[in-house]
Structures are given as structure tokens and as C-alpha cells.
Amino acid sequence: MSNELEFVLDRLGTDSMKWDMTEARFGARDVIPLWVADMDIKAPRPVIDVLKEKAEHGVFGYSAPSSKVDEAICDWLKKRYDWEVNSETFIYTSGIVPTISHMIQAFTEPGDEVIIQTPVYYPFYDVVEKNNRVILKNPLKRNDHHYEMDLAQLESLITDKTKILLLSHPHNPVGRVWRRYELEKLAKLCQKHDLLVISDEIHADLLFDGQTHIPIASINEDMAMRTLTCLAPSKTFNLAGIQASYAVVLDPKKRLKLKQFIQSTFSSINIFAQAATEAAYRHGEGWLEELMIYIQANYQFVEDYLGEHMPKIKPIKPEGTYLLWLDCEQLDMPAKERNQWFLHEAKVAFNHGPIFGEEGEHFERMNLACSRDTLAKALDRMKQAYDNKGL
């Protein structure tokens, strides 16, 4: 086990969505939850220490803007992505999904069209449709175990009502880290058709060996002005419950419009979110490096186990995130039957593929951010159910 990582093997009874809501959500008892994207790993020790310090102070009043947090973010973005921005471009928010919802409301009208690239993170559907906007689906192309953008099909969708491309970057759930040449081609289309880009880059830090994250807003000056980038320390450092996120908006006019819109419902992030963000970005890099070594080893463990014992379940090798897209087509089960089989026979809870769109019909999404022991136990359960079914 890593020197940096501290695993929590029992999260039951801690008001954990992942563990304590599994039965209510899935209708199955005693299952191993490998679904929602949080980790069974403690946040970096410096984050825990600074939160203890804030709690001991004992006064939890309104928080003022913090230049220390601003500087920590600027330094992180420069070091990790070679992306130089200044703190004036930041808008702090309480979560990326509500931020995207605010962006769609601020920059489109009811009936306007938003492009999403499916299969994709399922709240993307809600933030469009529940705001009375129209989804245009641009399915990714799958070439064996690799997904690509279908830019020709994307361009064919665009009408005079199409206003936004909502980008998952790195992509959830398929795990692609988009290359510069792909982003440059996409950028040309966005410029040609004057599309605003909302780029969800929450998984940007979670990269496998050899991968580089390139913020799409850093591609060129035009993309800098037409992109709203959503970022957070939450996925990287397991801080989702702290509710800390921020948008980088380089165009001053767009930034002012969005800030005015958001400030009607939200004034500032809380003091714990501020402290955690600064500590994570200042002192969490070693922890993150250890994490990705462990996640990649977990992936290899799953790939090897499936190949030896359950060859009809085929993992799509991720380039980033700690999520694994499992191709279950060869199990030859309808999606609903397969979902129930995993839950009630294998006693394992995944995110069911169809919730990411019809392109996920044959898939399940597995969370790799757990201890090897938890993962081995889940795979052993799956193998037993697999063997019992005679697959």
C-alpha cells in the first residue's frame, strides 16, 4: 500500500451516498458499491489537517475572497497544464453540474440547441432538458477499444438554433483524454459555426501514464474567448462533499454576464471549501501521483482478472479518470436483465450503461478508486455469478 494513500475500508454509517444509499437506489442489499464517482480513500493529510484547524477555530461565518486560494489555483493550472490565467478570470461555485446549468441559462434561450457527445455523464441530459433546451446528440465513434469524436456528424447537426457544445474533457464514461489535434479540429468547427463551448474538465488531473491534458481554452485565442471551463479539486482529491468548484472564463463580457447570473443565487464558497482547495493544490501533488499509480494498477488487475476468468466482459482501457467502461455485449443479456444480474447475483453495483445514453446499452461503468481488496472481492463475486450462469 502507498505511503501517501489512506484507505477507508468501512464507510457504512457515515452518511455516504456511495455506501449508505446503495440499497435505496438499487433495491439490492449487501452489494459492493462501485458506482458513484468518489473514492474509498482519505483526502490528502494536509487537507485533513487544515480542515481540523478551521473546525477548531469554531467560528463559521461568511467567507471573504482569498488571494491565497486564487494563487494556489493559478500555480496549479500553470504547473499541470502550462495554462497561464489570472484570478480575475475565476468564478467560484458550489459544484460543476449547477454551474453548467447556470451557464446554459445565462447564454441560451428556451428552445435553443446544445450538442452533447454520447455516451456521456448523465447529468448533461438534465442540465439541458430541465432548462427547456434541446439536446443534439453527437455519438462518439468506437473503433475497437478506442473512441473518437465524429466531427463530420457533429457539423451536420448544427442549425441556427445551435448555441453550445457541452464537452466532457477527459471524457466520462469512456475515459478518453482528447489530443491536441482532436481539439484543434473541434475548435475550427466551433469557430466556423460560432458555438459557445462549455468544457467540463473535472477529471483533468486524473491521467494515466503518457497522457497530457490540454484545456480546450488554451488551444488558441478564439477558443479562449468562446470557452467556459469548469474545474474543481473535488474529483482529484476526493472532496465532492466539500462542494468546491470554479469556472475559468477568459472573455470579460461573458464573465460579467455569468457572474451576475450566478450571484443571484450564490454568493461565495464556504470557508472549508476555500481551505481544502488551497491545501490540496499546494500540498496534494505527491498524493495524486501515488493515487494514479494505484488506479493504474487497479485497472491492470481488473483487465487481467477479466481476461482470465470472465473473457466475455471486456474493459475499455481508460486514458484518464478512475472510471472503467465495461463492454458486456458478449454476455448476451438485455440491459435490464444484466443490471439485475449484477445486483442480485453478483452483488455488485455499477452505474448502468444506458443512463449515459442509448450508446451505453451494452455497458456498465465501474469505479476503480477503492482498495485492491474491495476490488478483488467484487471480481470474485462476479466470477461466481458468471460461472453459475455457465457463461
Side-chain angles (χ1 to χ4, degrees):
M1 184 178 292
S2 163
N3 294 325
E4 291 272 359
L5 304 184
E6 299 179 65
F7 289 86
V8 180
L9 301 181
D10 184 5
R11 295 178 63 192
L12 287 169
T14 63
D15 297 323
S16 159
M17 177 185 289
K18 183 178 181 181
W19 286 85
D20 291 320
M21 287 189 64
T22 298
E23 183 176 356
R25 184 180 180 92
F26 296 102
R29 302 185 65 183
D30 302 321
V31 300
I32 296 175
L34 299 176
W35 59 292
V36 69
D38 74 7
M39 311 184 207
D40 297 336
I41 304 168
K42 289 186 179 181
R45 182 53 51 180
V47 174
I48 297 171
D49 290 343
V50 76
L51 291 176
K52 285 182 177 179
E53 182 181 331
K54 284 291 184 184
E56 287 295 334
H57 182 260
V59 178
F60 312 118
Y62 297 110
S63 56
S66 169
S67 61
K68 291 181 179 180
V69 178
D70 293 344
E71 291 166 6
I73 294 173
C74 288
D75 290 347
W76 183 263
L77 298 181
K78 171 61 178 173
K79 183 174 184 180
R80 300 292 296 189
Y81 319 132
D82 195 27
W83 190 27
E84 289 197 56
V85 297
N86 65 67
S87 61
E88 293 179 358
T89 67
F90 300 157
I91 300 175
Y92 289 100
T93 63
S94 62
I96 283 184
V97 172
T99 301
I100 294 173
S101 180
H102 288 318
M103 289 171 171
I104 288 172
Q105 292 175 66
F107 293 103
T108 64
E109 299 294 333
D112 283 346
E113 298 166 345
V114 178
I115 298 173
I116 62 174
Q117 296 176 302
T118 56
V120 74
Y121 181 49
Y122 48 92
F124 278 19
Y125 296 89
D126 286 345
V127 294
V128 177
E129 293 177 328
K130 289 185 178 179
N131 284 315
N132 298 313
R133 276 63 171 177
V134 177
I135 287 175
L136 298 182
K137 291 176 59 176
N138 171 227
L140 299 175
K141 294 190 297 185
R142 183 178 168 194
N143 296 322
D144 193 19
H145 293 299
H146 183 78
Y147 283 87
E148 298 175 353
M149 298 188 202
D150 188 343
L151 296 183
Q153 199 264 358
L154 187 155
E155 187 168 23
S156 73
L157 295 173
I158 297 171
T159 74
D160 59 359
K161 297 288 285 181
T162 310
K163 305 301 182 184
I164 289 176
L165 168 70
L166 181 48
L167 181 68
S168 183
H169 173 40
H171 194 281
N172 174 10
V174 308
R176 272 302 315 277
V177 175
W178 303 117
R179 306 290 193 272
R180 178 175 290 277
Y181 76 88
E182 294 173 298
L183 296 173
E184 287 174 345
K185 289 180 180 179
L186 183 63
K188 288 181 180 179
L189 279 182
C190 293
Q191 181 177 7
K192 178 180 177 181
H193 296 282
D194 194 23
L195 296 181
L196 181 69
V197 176
I198 300 175
S199 187
D200 177 359
E201 303 189 13
I202 194 171
H203 294 276
D205 298 317
L206 300 164
L207 303 177
F208 279 42
D209 286 345
Q211 302 298 324
T212 301
H213 176 77
I214 301 169
I216 192 168
S218 70
I219 289 291
N220 56 43
E221 183 62 24
D222 178 79
M223 288 308 294
M225 292 297 102
R226 70 172 64 253
T227 300
L228 314 175
T229 304
C230 299
L231 290 158
S234 53
K235 284 293 180 285
T236 306
F237 299 105
N238 206 24
L239 302 173
I242 296 291
Q243 297 187 318
S245 63
Y246 55 98
V248 181
V249 185
L250 299 173
D251 182 331
K253 291 182 180 179
K254 291 184 177 68
R255 185 167 64 249
L256 178 61
K257 183 174 183 177
L258 180 61
K259 188 175 290 188
Q260 290 173 337
F261 189 91
I262 288 178
Q263 285 176 343
S264 66
T265 58
F266 178 85
S267 58
S268 65
I269 61 173
N270 66 71
I271 57 173
F272 291 103
Q274 284 187 333
T277 298
E278 182 189 356
Y281 283 153
R282 287 295 186 206
H283 307 294
E285 191 166 38
W287 181 97
L288 175 58
E289 290 172 356
E290 294 278 5
L291 172 71
M292 291 314 298
I293 290 170
Y294 198 89
I295 295 298
Q296 289 177 96
N298 269 0
Y299 167 75
Q300 195 59 54
F301 179 71
V302 173
E303 182 187 74
D304 293 344
Y305 193 106
L306 293 176
E308 181 176 355
H309 300 292
M310 293 176 279
K312 291 185 178 180
I313 303 175
K314 300 187 180 300
I316 304 297
K317 186 173 183 177
E319 299 171 346
T321 82
Y322 53 74
L323 306 168
L324 180 58
W325 196 227
L326 295 174
D327 183 350
C328 302
E329 184 171 9
Q330 291 186 18
L331 293 178
D332 198 25
M333 288 187 233
K336 288 184 180 180
E337 179 185 335
R338 183 184 71 243
N339 184 42
Q340 294 302 300
W341 178 72
F342 276 123
L343 286 169
H344 299 287
E345 301 298 327
K347 295 287 186 178
V348 176
F350 299 130
N351 280 116
H352 191 37
I355 68 173
F356 300 92
E358 61 184 312
E359 298 80 11
E361 178 74 12
H362 300 299
F363 292 83
E364 305 290 335
R365 193 190 75 174
M366 170 188 273
N367 184 340
L368 297 172
C370 59
S371 73
R372 193 75 39 76
D373 288 344
T374 298
L375 203 55
K377 185 177 179 181
L379 290 167
D380 286 344
R381 288 186 178 191
M382 290 166 60
K383 179 182 181 300
Q384 183 174 351
Y386 187 97
D387 291 344
N388 288 343
K389 200 168 180 63
L391 293 167

